[in-house]
Amino acid sequence: MKFLLAAINAKYIHANLAVYSLSAYVRKKQPKAQIELCEYTINHRAEQILQDIYRRKPDVVGFSCYIWNITYVQELVKDLLKVSPKTEIWLGGPEVSWSAREALEKEPGLRGILRGEGEESLSRLVAAYLAAEEHKAPLSHAAFKEIPGITFCTPKGEVSENPPAPLLAMDELPFPYENLDGFENRILYYESSRGCPFSCSYCLSSLDKSVRFRSLSLVERELKIFLDKRVGQVKFVDRTFNCKKEHTLGIWRYLLAHDNGITNFHFEVSADLFGEEELSLISAMRPGLIQLEIGVQSTNPRTLTEIRRKTDLAALKMSVNRIHAFGNTHQHLDLIAGLPCEGMESFLNSFNEVHSMHPDQLQLGFLKVLKGSYMAKQTECYGLKHRTLPPYEVLETRWLSFDELIRLKEMEEMVEVYYNSGQFKQTMRLLLNRFAKASDLYLALSEYYRNQGLFAVSHSRLSRYEILYRFVCGLLGAEPARFRDALLYDLYLRENIKSRPSFASDQTPYKKEIRAFFEAEAACPVWLFGYEGYEARQLAKMAHLEIMEDGSRVLFDYKNRNPLSHNARTVRLPKSAKEEKHDRFLCGR
């Protein structure tokens, strides 16, 4: 009997931890079971997935369901039942766990739903199927009644729901990845704990009150596997990774001691819980060894109380600022628009406070009203309206109108393009001086895009610079040299492009100077290192020298990039011939 576990991911780069963990546990408990895994993405045509599953000829198929794929899975199930009516189909995952009865009533062809934590439930379900096959008998209703954590259809078409499955000790779960070959260009997910000690009203993790940890010795052995394989990135899915100090310190000490110089580890943390020991460890880490995702959500104390989120904002800001000063760790800070007690003015205040912490990325997200969450039960109280279909995103609340939400959506796009991309730092820093608050800048940008009809257009990276330049000219009523220099600096910082934008200054008068510079570097390197053996013409293609309008000479070194931002190393060269001769004299020329 063949069991197929199917994952439909948001992107190819993501590896679906759920199906790997389920498969590893079932193989451990039921070694005779024939388990296959298949991963697809929502970018695949449904027809392709249907054909692939059909050709595999599984007896039982399980789909992992989330807000980003549930609509896709539902349509796929309908078609699979038509072409393979004897295949038994089970669903699992957060999108069906809290509405299992509804899912079965909506699609009676389904065999059942695995609710919540699925490893033990699936193992017993597989055992029941194998026993029925051994006895050459159909799987009975009585056998299903013995399996905890499932909801299923009875022979009479009624829906029956068994008690929840007992929660497993984390050390009972085997390492999910049997073989790491083929994962070279993908993000691997890993969990060292399950559950969350907090009770945020919008989050399903708050429903699991217990927090269970994998023993540190086991985690270290498994991290060694990732490090030995030189995996690019490992994302811990622990809901609050640093909720247990000894656990956090143990893992980070291990990573610091065994860093392979390549692998990056991602953690979701509550920054206000950090103490001196955690901060000291972070300060000693290689740039890029870890990155942190920090959920701020709001800086409005009333909102934080209403969503049952305990946050020491002063401690959080102190930790974020300290880590920012280290210059070695990417920090991603999150906000959620549409929370109770937070209107437009309050949300923009939250945005400005978080923006002032200078995160590497500032995610302006929107509330998703998840099935089973406490937030979903408070929709009437909050005047909360949300999308009917997944991801159930907020439309309006008592405090935030749909018109205001649209403006925030436009602002979000501007934040993604002009802040989170990291491609416009110099220019945006100059622009911020022209506005009272950071939010005013991004709202002004979004208004410019809307008035110019730019939101509905697909833009190249270069065109984003051109648009920003036109915005600046309209703002200042002139062609500002400082902003042209800043835009050019930002442009060449990231990539050595050869096609110059329309606002770039004419470099023709400096051709001889630029050529002479690279000839001198080829003969005797003073500013460029690691380029030995290249001729001047090759150096001019591999690096870039820009003569700015303010007269400064900026060298962009693309061979030596910042390990966090991937920006080119930059050097401001001496302006005068006298200074240049002095430097060459020191080199012995």
Side-chain angles (χ1 to χ4, degrees):
M1 177 170 275
K2 181 188 289 187
F3 300 88
L4 179 65
L5 299 181
I8 301 176
N9 303 326
K11 297 179 180 179
Y12 166 77
I13 198 172
H14 300 161
N16 190 295
L17 176 60
V19 293
Y20 287 100
S21 184
L22 290 166
S23 172
Y25 186 83
V26 173
R27 284 174 175 147
K28 172 186 172 183
K29 291 286 187 176
Q30 312 295 337
K32 293 182 180 180
Q34 183 183 354
I35 307 288
E36 281 190 16
L37 298 182
C38 52
E39 289 187 275
Y40 312 99
T41 78
I42 55 176
N43 296 315
H44 281 99
R45 295 201 328 268
E47 182 182 6
Q48 290 178 312
I49 299 177
L50 177 65
Q51 291 174 3
D52 186 64
I53 293 176
Y54 176 81
R55 285 173 174 162
R56 291 171 183 267
K57 302 296 181 186
D59 298 289
V60 182
V61 177
F63 288 98
S64 189
C65 303
Y66 306 88
I67 54 175
W68 65 79
N69 72 6
I70 184 62
T71 304
Y72 203 106
V73 170
Q74 287 169 338
E75 294 305 309
L76 190 59
V77 166
K78 291 179 186 294
D79 291 337
L80 187 58
L81 287 168
K82 292 174 185 175
V83 298
S84 187
K86 292 184 179 180
T87 300
E88 304 247 292
I89 301 176
W90 289 78
L91 304 183
E95 188 51 28
V96 292
S97 286
W98 305 101
S99 56
R101 184 177 295 274
E102 177 189 336
L104 290 176
E105 289 172 349
K106 188 174 181 180
E107 182 47 73
L110 287 170
R111 197 65 164 110
I113 307 288
L114 280 77
R115 307 188 317 272
E117 192 170 288
E119 283 91 354
E120 183 62 22
S121 297
L122 181 60
S123 175
R124 296 195 192 186
L125 187 64
V126 168
Y129 273 110
L130 293 176
E133 181 185 44
E134 186 178 350
H135 293 95
K136 297 182 180 179
L139 193 56
S140 68
H141 169 67
F144 279 155
K145 290 294 290 182
E146 298 300 316
I147 302 172
I150 67 169
T151 302
F152 61 96
C153 291
T154 69
K156 295 181 180 180
E158 299 171 343
V159 175
S160 181
E161 190 162 275
N162 294 350
L167 297 179
L168 296 170
M170 288 296 290
D171 285 3
E172 291 183 45
L173 299 171
F175 184 66
Y177 303 104
E178 184 178 14
N179 189 336
L180 288 179
D181 293 338
F183 285 99
E184 291 81 4
N185 299 312
R186 303 182 69 190
I187 298 171
L188 290 174
Y189 293 84
Y190 177 80
E191 58 184 347
S192 69
S193 67
R194 282 185 181 176
C196 184
F198 304 112
S199 303
C200 304
S201 63
Y202 52 83
C203 182
L204 293 178
S205 295
S206 65
L207 302 176
D208 185 358
K209 300 300 181 186
S210 64
V211 185
R212 294 157 288 149
F213 295 89
R214 211 160 174 77
S215 60
L216 198 54
S217 59
L218 183 55
V219 172
E220 289 176 355
R221 289 202 299 273
E222 293 172 345
L223 292 180
K224 186 177 185 299
I225 297 173
F226 293 130
L227 291 165
D228 288 348
K229 279 288 185 178
R230 303 171 81 79
V231 170
Q233 186 176 55
V234 177
K235 283 196 173 186
F236 277 62
V237 298
D238 304 43
R239 300 313 300 161
T240 306
F241 172 75
N242 63 322
C243 65
K244 184 179 178 182
K245 188 182 185 75
E246 297 78 13
H247 188 75
T248 304
L249 292 173
I251 291 175
W252 281 357
R253 284 172 183 147
Y254 181 85
L255 294 180
L256 185 60
H258 297 84
D259 179 19
N260 62 12
I262 293 174
T263 307
N264 165 263
F265 294 88
H266 176 103
F267 302 94
E268 292 185 33
V269 299
S270 290
D272 54 321
L273 300 181
F274 283 149
E276 283 301 320
E277 289 179 282
E278 292 96 322
L279 293 171
S280 177
L281 275 176
I282 294 172
S283 71
M285 290 179 177
R286 162 182 62 87
L289 174 57
I290 70 168
Q291 64 186 46
L292 304 176
E293 184 171 350
I294 300 164
V296 182
Q297 320 313 10
S298 172
T299 63
N300 183 330
R302 187 182 169 201
T303 296
L304 293 173
T305 299
E306 189 65 29
I307 63 175
R308 307 190 296 189
R309 185 174 178 82
K310 297 178 181 178
T311 304
D312 184 336
L313 289 172
L316 183 148
K317 187 172 184 178
M318 182 276 292
S319 293
V320 169
N321 289 340
R322 289 271 303 277
I323 295 168
H324 178 74
F326 298 155
N328 64 350
T329 301
H330 177 101
Q331 294 186 96
H332 177 132
L333 271 59
D334 298 335
L335 286 171
I336 299 178
L339 293 175
C341 306
E342 184 148 74
M344 187 72 164
E345 183 180 350
S346 172
F347 182 80
L348 293 178
N349 182 63
S350 292
F351 175 86
N352 292 326
E353 285 195 61
V354 173
H355 189 279
S356 71
M357 300 180 205
H358 308 292
D360 296 283
Q361 285 204 311
L362 200 174
Q363 181 174 320
L364 198 168
F366 294 83
L367 176 66
K368 293 168 180 59
V369 186
L370 303 179
K371 294 178 181 178
S373 67
Y374 178 77
M375 184 69 71
K377 299 173 184 177
Q378 300 299 308
T379 54
E380 187 175 344
C381 174
Y382 297 150
L384 176 55
K385 299 176 183 178
H386 60 82
R387 297 284 300 275
T388 303
L389 296 176
Y392 316 112
E393 197 168 85
V394 64
L395 293 172
E396 66 178 31
T397 71
R398 278 173 47 196
W399 303 271
L400 189 71
S401 69
F402 185 51
D403 182 68
E404 290 170 327
L405 185 133
I406 292 172
R407 289 180 64 203
L408 289 179
K409 279 279 185 180
E410 293 174 341
M411 178 180 167
E412 176 204 18
E413 186 169 335
M414 296 297 93
V415 172
E416 284 297 312
V417 171
Y418 291 108
Y419 185 91
N420 289 341
S421 69
Q423 296 171 358
F424 304 87
K425 286 189 175 181
Q426 298 293 326
T427 310
M428 296 305 285
R429 193 174 293 127
L430 278 179
L431 271 173
L432 280 170
N433 295 329
R434 302 276 175 169
F435 292 85
K437 294 172 288 189
S439 58
D440 291 344
L441 167 56
Y442 292 100
L443 285 172
L445 262 172
S446 63
E447 184 178 2
Y448 179 80
Y449 263 70
R450 183 171 62 254
N451 292 339
Q452 298 295 318
L454 297 170
F455 276 120
V457 181
S458 178
H459 301 285
S460 67
R461 190 171 74 87
L462 188 56
S463 70
R464 295 289 191 184
Y465 288 88
E466 302 274 7
I467 293 168
L468 188 57
Y469 178 68
R470 294 198 298 270
F471 170 78
V472 170
C473 289
L475 183 70
L476 302 182
E479 292 194 2
R482 274 189 79 197
F483 281 95
R484 277 202 296 271
D485 279 354
L487 276 167
L488 277 174
Y489 187 92
D490 285 331
L491 180 61
Y492 284 109
L493 196 61
R494 184 60 62 92
E495 190 176 345
N496 186 15
I497 65 168
K498 298 305 176 186
S499 55
R500 291 173 67 79
S502 61
F503 58 80
S505 58
D506 184 11
Q507 297 285 283
T508 304
Y510 308 107
K511 277 188 175 181
K512 288 184 178 180
E513 178 184 338
I514 293 170
R515 184 167 58 248
F517 170 81
F518 285 112
E519 287 173 351
E521 284 298 305
C524 175
V526 173
W527 307 107
L528 289 172
F529 299 97
Y531 295 80
E532 291 78 9
Y534 290 103
E535 297 177 356
R537 188 178 300 177
Q538 293 172 310
L539 287 181
K541 292 180 180 179
M542 298 168 68
H544 178 75
L545 177 60
E546 181 75 18
I547 315 300
M548 298 294 185
E549 289 194 56
D550 66 2
S552 63
R553 274 73 173 151
V554 182
L555 175 66
F556 296 87
D557 176 3
Y558 298 104
K559 199 175 182 66
N560 299 290
R561 292 178 178 267
N562 183 295
L564 285 184
S565 66
H566 303 291
N567 287 339
R569 166 182 165 264
T570 59
V571 182
R572 289 196 176 268
L573 300 178
K575 293 182 184 179
S576 71
K578 185 177 180 180
E579 290 175 283
E580 178 72 13
K581 287 179 180 178
H582 173 69
D583 290 313
R584 296 297 170 185
F585 175 75
L586 293 177
C587 185
R589 291 184 71 246

